[in-house]
Amino acid sequence: MEIILYLSAAVAAIAFFILVIYLTKTLKSLQVTLDSVSHTLTGLEKQLQGLTTESTLLLHKTNALAEDLQKKSENLNSVVDAVKEVGTTVKGFNNSLQNVTTKVENELVENQDKIAQAVQWGNAFFELRDMWKKRSERKSQATSDAAYEENEKPEKKARRNLRSRG
């Protein structure tokens, strides 16, 4: 019986030894896996730091852009206000011009008879002036013909008279 006891202790020792060997292999495999995970996590940490730095820079640029947009928006507001004032001024000018046009139209309608009469008087005046000019031209022509005849030599007068008779 003692042999069975030694044999069972030897079998238990061998089994324990095999268990330790497999456990060692498993732990070494696990160590390789954990080392790989550790390297991956280290790389991820570095990438995360780079990403954090880039995010911080992007955030600063975004803030600067937001400030610039705010300033430009304020400047644009003043331009919009100025354009609005110009529009109001033009609208007022249009209203004034419309009022003046309406008044002139009303005055024309009211004074239409007077205007027609003034045009008739003007036409009559121009006709009289034209008649006066024609009369003055005839008188000056007659005067110049008479002066020409008086200055003509007696021989030419006689020839002319003979021609007109014959």
Side-chain angles (χ1 to χ4, degrees):
M1 226 359 236
E2 223 178 88
I3 284 199
I4 291 182
L5 195 61
Y6 285 122
L7 261 170
S8 25
V11 170
I14 291 172
F16 185 72
F17 180 71
I18 292 173
L19 180 67
V20 169
I21 289 174
Y22 279 110
L23 192 60
T24 303
K25 283 185 179 181
T26 304
L27 287 177
K28 281 187 180 185
S29 173
L30 183 63
Q31 183 180 3
V32 170
T33 303
L34 287 177
D35 284 342
S36 175
V37 168
S38 174
H39 288 297
T40 303
L41 286 177
T42 303
L44 279 174
E45 186 178 337
K46 288 179 182 176
Q47 287 179 356
L48 190 59
Q49 282 180 340
L51 190 61
T52 304
T53 305
E54 287 181 21
S55 296
T56 304
L57 290 174
L58 184 61
L59 186 62
H60 288 301
K61 287 181 182 178
T62 303
N63 287 339
L65 184 61
E67 288 176 17
D68 188 42
L69 278 173
Q70 181 66 30
K71 288 177 186 176
K72 288 181 180 177
S73 175
E74 290 171 2
N75 291 338
L76 187 62
N77 285 341
S78 64
V79 170
V80 168
D81 291 341
V83 168
K84 187 176 179 183
E85 289 175 9
V86 167
T88 304
T89 302
V90 168
K91 187 175 181 181
F93 177 73
N94 282 342
N95 288 338
S96 299
L97 191 61
Q98 208 169 23
N99 289 339
V100 168
T101 304
T102 304
K103 285 181 183 178
V104 168
E105 286 176 356
N106 291 339
E107 289 293 322
L108 282 175
V109 168
E110 289 177 10
N111 296 325
Q112 190 172 9
D113 293 335
K114 292 178 183 177
I115 293 170
Q117 191 177 26
V119 169
Q120 287 176 349
W121 278 104
N123 287 338
F125 171 75
F126 287 126
E127 286 178 19
L128 284 173
R129 186 189 65 168
D130 290 343
M131 287 173 50
W132 184 266
K133 280 184 179 179
K134 287 179 185 176
R135 188 173 166 195
S136 296
E137 286 175 4
R138 275 189 259 146
K139 279 185 180 180
S140 67
Q141 183 67 33
T143 305
S144 66
D145 286 346
Y148 178 73
E149 285 179 12
E150 284 180 18
N151 291 334
E152 200 174 21
K153 293 185 180 177
E155 304 159 350
K156 286 185 179 179
K157 278 185 185 177
R159 277 189 239 155
R160 193 169 38 116
N161 286 338
L162 282 176
R163 280 188 211 155
S164 61
R165 288 184 192 168

